[in-house]
Amino acid sequence: MKRNYFIVSKPLRYLNIKNIPGFEQIPSKRLIIVDKFNKADEFYKNVCLYENCWEKVYFVSSVNKVYLLLLFKRIKALYIFVDCSIMIGILYLIHRMEVVLLEEGIGTYFPEIFKAPKQRTFIRKFLHVGDVLGSSDFTSKIYVYFPKVFLSNTIVKCDVCSFEENMLQFIVQNKEEFLKLFSCEYYKELPFGSKVLLYITEWNIDSKILKFIEEHSNEFDYVWIKPHPHNKHVSAKIPLGVTILGGNIMAEFLISELISRGNEVTICHCGSTSVIYFMDKIKSILFESVDAANFEWQSKYNTLVHEISLN
């Protein structure tokens, strides 16, 4: 019997999977959780404990092991976040399965960010693998939160579809369900009516943002750092009085709850997807990334935020 496989390597991907229209009606669902984010093992255990929508849940140590696992499965459909991969092409050659893309975050709206290298062109053509996100011959559809914005930035062969709910609605409606899955002991102790400075990091912590925090921390009641989900171990020297928010809770849940409790929230970031849903409710301080490759990204980020505000 062929089954539907879903791949998760950070909590946002799981939320987007659950927000697919008609998700509950998809038969024979199997989930693969990859150990690429903070406390992924605890997330896996909580999914097994609280979620009854999965026929089976796997926990694997790397993306390569995901591909190895799928080589020997009978696949009806594969729900993933990037399709311009030779390994996905090989899986398609073997299984002839449907491939469905799900929004990965802000990068999805600029598919050239995922552009594949030009080498091995013959192999890519033979496997029907496209050069940019959504361009592979075997991809049937992509789900995004802002279809008009997505289509204004790219041309894809697949159908462009909306998720069931917008991000904020889905978070509010399903908060209790997802909080059971996150490892976040401090969530219930979040303050009311306070001034909060939150730094949402990239994969690495930026020293110039730490310096800004050190210089302005006395202006806030609480100063927190929320590491990127793939940053399992924070090694940077953190200023006194600053708290690292561990666990694997999505920043979107954290920001939403802080706002609902009447806090005045200021967020430092280098172009975080989490912030775009709250621009009218928080103060955003955008810094240049330490990664030179992200300079163009930040220009695109500002463009996308503007386009989203018009939709």
Side-chain angles (χ1 to χ4, degrees):
M1 177 180 176
K2 289 189 174 183
R3 292 176 167 84
N4 297 287
Y5 286 85
F6 300 76
I7 301 173
V8 167
S9 59
K10 59 183 178 182
L12 171 63
R13 294 180 174 180
Y14 190 77
L15 180 143
N16 287 344
I17 285 170
K18 296 296 294 286
N19 201 9
I20 295 172
F23 171 79
E24 295 298 337
Q25 284 69 54
I26 299 174
S28 305
K29 296 188 288 288
R30 293 193 169 190
L31 177 67
I32 304 173
I33 298 175
V34 190
D35 188 14
K36 286 191 67 178
F37 60 96
N38 191 25
K39 297 191 176 180
D41 55 339
E42 294 183 16
F43 188 84
Y44 161 73
K45 291 175 184 176
N46 289 336
V47 168
C48 293
L49 181 62
Y50 296 112
E51 300 279 84
N52 59 11
C53 56
W54 302 106
E55 183 181 274
K56 188 168 184 177
V57 182
Y58 302 88
F59 185 69
V60 300
S61 60
S62 69
V63 173
N64 286 338
K65 290 189 176 180
V66 172
Y67 295 141
L68 184 62
L69 173 68
L70 291 173
L71 279 174
F72 302 99
K73 301 298 180 182
R74 299 188 66 204
I75 308 172
K76 180 181 180 181
L78 183 61
Y79 292 77
I80 54 176
F81 296 83
V82 178
D83 63 336
C84 46
S85 158
I86 286 179
M87 282 306 303
I88 299 300
I90 292 172
L91 289 175
Y92 176 74
L93 184 67
I94 295 170
H95 299 293
R96 297 294 171 176
M97 73 285 185
E98 179 185 8
V99 173
V100 179
L101 293 178
L102 305 175
E103 178 177 319
E104 163 76 338
I106 198 166
T108 299
Y109 295 89
F110 301 102
E112 70 273 16
I113 291 174
F114 296 95
K115 190 167 185 177
K118 291 183 178 180
Q119 60 264 36
R120 301 190 297 274
T121 301
F122 171 78
I123 297 175
R124 301 181 68 81
K125 288 183 177 179
F126 175 74
L127 296 173
H128 302 277
V129 176
D131 292 326
V132 297
L133 187 73
S135 66
S136 296
D137 292 341
F138 45 73
T139 302
S140 64
K141 66 186 71 169
I142 179 170
Y143 286 100
V144 294
Y145 285 102
F146 307 101
K148 290 182 180 179
V149 176
F150 180 78
L151 288 169
S152 71
N153 284 285
T154 186
I155 298 175
V156 292
K157 298 178 180 179
C158 60
D159 294 333
V160 179
C161 309
S162 297
F163 283 105
E164 184 73 19
E165 304 282 353
N166 71 47
M167 173 70 82
L168 293 187
Q169 286 176 335
F170 195 70
I171 286 175
V172 171
Q173 293 171 6
N174 299 276
K175 181 174 72 172
E176 297 305 320
E177 172 191 347
F178 280 97
L179 287 178
K180 291 179 182 178
L181 307 181
F182 299 134
S183 301
C184 180
E185 298 79 10
Y186 54 81
Y187 187 86
K188 293 181 180 179
E189 306 301 323
L190 293 176
F192 290 84
S194 300
K195 296 183 68 176
V196 177
L197 177 62
L198 177 65
Y199 168 28
I200 300 176
T201 82
E202 299 179 282
W203 282 47
N204 297 308
I205 291 180
D206 192 325
S207 60
K208 68 177 173 293
I209 300 182
L210 291 182
K211 183 179 180 181
F212 174 88
I213 289 173
E214 196 167 19
E215 292 172 350
H216 295 273
S217 60
N218 62 347
E219 301 170 18
F220 299 89
D221 302 308
Y222 298 89
V223 182
W224 296 328
I225 295 176
K226 175 70 176 69
H228 188 282
H230 292 316
N231 189 341
K232 294 184 179 183
H233 307 288
V234 176
S235 57
K237 185 178 180 181
I238 305 302
L240 290 175
V242 177
T243 301
I244 299 289
L245 299 181
N248 50 30
I249 189 171
M250 289 173 54
E252 290 88 342
F253 281 85
L254 188 61
I255 299 167
S256 177
E257 186 66 16
L258 285 170
I259 292 170
S260 71
R261 296 188 181 204
N263 293 290
E264 182 182 322
V265 183
T266 299
I267 301 179
C268 298
H269 62 109
C270 294
S272 170
T273 300
S274 308
V275 179
I276 64 175
Y277 304 102
F278 306 96
M279 283 299 194
D280 60 336
K281 300 178 178 66
I282 57 98
K283 179 181 179 182
S284 167
I285 304 177
L286 181 65
F287 287 82
E288 285 191 346
S289 171
V290 292
D291 183 353
N294 279 344
F295 291 159
E296 184 180 359
W297 162 276
Q298 287 176 306
S299 173
K300 293 179 180 294
Y301 179 87
N302 289 328
T303 300
L304 181 59
V305 168
H306 177 69
E307 291 183 10
I308 287 173
S309 70
L310 300 177
N311 283 265

